Structures are given as C-alpha cells and as structure tokens.
Amino acid sequence: MKHKIITLISQIIANLFMIMFSITCIFPLVWMLYSSMKTQQEFSLDIISLPKVLHFDNFIAAIKVGKMHMFFGNSLFNSVISVILIILIGFIVAYFLSRYNFKLRNAVYVLFLFGMLVPVHSLLIPLFIQFKVLHLLDQRFTLIFPYVAFGLPMAVFLFESFIKSTPVEIEEAAYLDGGSTSTIIFKIVMPVCRPVISTILILSFLNSWNEFPFSLILLRKQSLKTIPIGLSNFNGQYTVNYPQLMAAMVIAVLPVIIIYLLFSKRVIEGMTAGSVKG
C-alpha cells in the first residue's frame, strides 16, 4: 500500500512538472498572438494583460508598411526550392552510398559527415568572396546554394541509415521483373523512406526559413530579403512598435507551425529510423 502511494505521488509530481513545462513552451506563442492585437499604448502599460479590443490593424500595417508579403514570398521561394533539392539530391546520393561499394565510397560519406561539423558562420566571408567573384550576389537563386549545401549532410546521413536498414530483396525482385534503376529508386525505395522525408522536410524548412546570416551578407537588394531580415526592419532607431512586430512574427511563424503539425507524427520515426537494423 505504501509503495502504491509513493508511486502515485511520483506520477502526480512528474505530470505537474510536464504540465508546467508545456505551459512555458506554449505561453510565448499565445502571448505573441494576443500582443499582436494590442495598441502600442496598451502594450506599454502592461505587456502581459489581454487586449480590451482586438486590433487587426497591426497585421495590415505589417503587410503594407513592413512589406511582410514580399519577405514572406522570398522566404517561401527559397525554402521550398531548397527543401526539394535537398530531399532529391540527398536521397539519390544516400541510395548509391548505401547500395554500392565503389572505391571512394567511404571518402564521400565522410566528406558529407564532415559537412555537419563545419560552423556555418566561419564560411560567411569565404562564401561572400566566392559569390562576388562568380557574380552570384543579389540573385533570386543566391540563397539556394548555401541552403542546399548545408542541408545535404544531414539528409544524406538520415537517408543512408534508413535505406541501409531496408531489405534489398524488394529491389532484387523488381530487377528480376524488368524494372529499371530509376523506377526502383523513385517508385519502390523512395516511398518507403516517407518517415525520413518528413523529418528532413521539417528540419530543412526550419533551417531555411529562419536563416539570417546568409540573407544579410549575400543579398543587398531589399526586394530579395527574407523574413528574418524583414523582422529586423521593425526596430526603429529609438523606439520599437512591438504590437506590429508581434503581428509580423505571427505571419512569419504560421508556415512553420502548419508544416510541423502536418508532419510531426513522422519526425521521431524518421530520426530513429535505421538505428535498429533488421
């Protein structure tokens, strides 16, 4: 009886701790949402209290004055194209690394793994000089190159681990039935990798959507800037219109929340895939 009481108390304490932890994670999003509907005066008087009247003018100002629609479109273009290329190239490279033993196979694999260890910020100046020499600055596709380059190592690592754990017999049967290599790769193996694809999609999209340094250094045209740079425009020299900034942040975070809700069930499955070999 005493053991059951101790177990019950420990469960209650653990649940209370998790509830408090969940509240601390959710409250900033809720606070940002209702703060975006306050006036500047209401926010200055009390940053925690709820708004007396919901003001949607901040969203209109964020779009018209802050040009959030332009930054939103640029970030969406760069993120979507980068994610597609990361998934496609990463999957093809990982398939050949996991299924074929060629001379430089280990060297190529180690090279991709090494890419996960290189600090992004240490390459800002070399990349800027290289892009300047190649006349790649201030182009619509400028940011796609570094996004794909830094997203590929993680994609190759996850794809390679998962593909290596899947049975080869399925592919051999398809070969015997007359299937081509491209058919086997894209119609048989790729659908099996859906959990990993979901994981890479979310992680790559988050990295591209929230990326700041490359957008700041490699782009000078205001018409090509992305969401993180656009948010910095709401900071004035002496004052900050926080309700408008909160409205812009709500606009910026919506795609991330939507994508995470759509694919979150497969994230853990994709991250742990291949860790236990069958």
Side-chain angles (χ1 to χ4, degrees):
M1 184 66 181
K2 186 178 180 180
H3 178 72
K4 290 183 178 180
I5 294 175
I6 295 174
T7 304
L8 180 62
I9 293 173
S10 62
Q11 289 177 351
I12 292 174
I13 293 174
N15 288 330
L16 288 174
F17 175 78
M18 293 305 299
I19 290 172
M20 293 299 297
F21 180 75
S22 300
I23 291 173
T24 59
C25 294
I26 296 173
F27 177 74
L29 292 175
V30 177
W31 174 74
M32 180 179 67
L33 180 60
Y34 73 71
S35 295
S36 66
M37 302 178 191
K38 284 183 173 182
T39 62
Q40 179 72 355
Q41 184 179 5
E42 285 179 329
F43 189 89
S44 301
L45 291 174
D46 191 349
I47 64 173
I48 301 297
S49 64
L50 295 170
K52 296 179 181 178
V53 180
L54 299 180
H55 297 275
F56 295 94
D57 297 340
N58 294 322
F59 291 93
I60 298 174
I63 294 173
K64 288 186 176 181
V65 180
K67 298 181 180 180
M68 284 299 293
H69 62 288
M70 179 181 68
F71 301 122
F72 186 96
N74 293 335
S75 289
L76 190 65
F77 173 81
N78 292 324
S79 299
V80 170
I81 300 299
S82 299
V83 168
I84 293 174
L85 291 176
I86 289 171
I87 292 175
L88 187 61
I89 298 174
F91 171 74
I92 295 173
V93 172
Y95 177 81
F96 284 100
L97 287 175
S98 61
R99 289 293 189 249
Y100 294 92
N101 289 320
F102 48 93
K103 188 174 182 180
L104 298 176
R105 187 261 176 200
N106 292 331
V108 173
Y109 186 68
V110 170
L111 182 65
F112 277 105
L113 290 183
F114 183 74
M116 299 174 66
L117 305 176
V118 177
V120 176
H121 301 87
S122 66
L123 299 176
L124 285 175
I125 296 177
L127 274 177
F128 175 79
I129 296 173
Q130 186 177 17
F131 274 53
K132 186 177 181 180
V133 171
L134 297 174
H135 303 288
L136 293 176
L137 297 174
D138 289 324
Q139 302 292 332
R140 173 63 63 182
F141 51 82
T142 295
L143 294 178
I144 294 176
F145 290 109
Y147 289 177
V148 173
F150 285 100
L152 273 177
M154 176 195 64
V156 170
F157 174 74
L158 292 177
F159 272 128
E160 196 271 344
S161 299
F162 187 86
I163 294 173
K164 189 179 288 185
S165 66
T166 57
V168 188
E169 289 76 15
I170 302 175
E171 301 166 46
E172 292 175 349
Y175 273 120
L176 293 175
D177 290 338
S180 62
T181 303
S182 59
T183 301
I184 292 170
I185 291 176
F186 294 107
K187 292 187 178 181
I188 296 177
V189 181
M190 199 170 195
V192 178
C193 297
R194 281 178 294 183
V196 181
I197 292 175
S198 300
T199 302
I200 295 172
L201 188 151
I202 292 177
L203 297 178
S204 300
F205 186 87
L206 286 175
N207 291 334
S208 302
W209 187 265
N210 297 324
E211 193 280 322
F212 183 85
F214 288 124
S215 179
L216 180 65
I217 300 299
L218 300 180
L219 297 177
R220 302 174 194 172
K221 293 180 181 178
Q222 192 73 6
S223 59
L224 297 176
K225 296 287 186 179
T226 56
I227 284 275
I229 305 297
L231 292 175
S232 65
N233 293 340
F234 288 88
N235 297 327
Q237 185 176 1
Y238 301 106
T239 59
V240 179
N241 191 324
Y242 285 104
Q244 285 187 12
L245 177 60
M246 296 295 174
M249 291 175 67
V250 170
I251 296 173
V253 80
L254 272 179
V256 177
I257 294 176
I258 292 172
I259 288 180
Y260 183 79
L261 291 176
L262 289 175
F263 298 98
S264 60
K265 292 182 179 180
R266 294 184 178 270
V267 172
I268 302 300
E269 184 181 352
M271 291 296 291
T272 58
S275 59
V276 179
K277 298 291 187 293

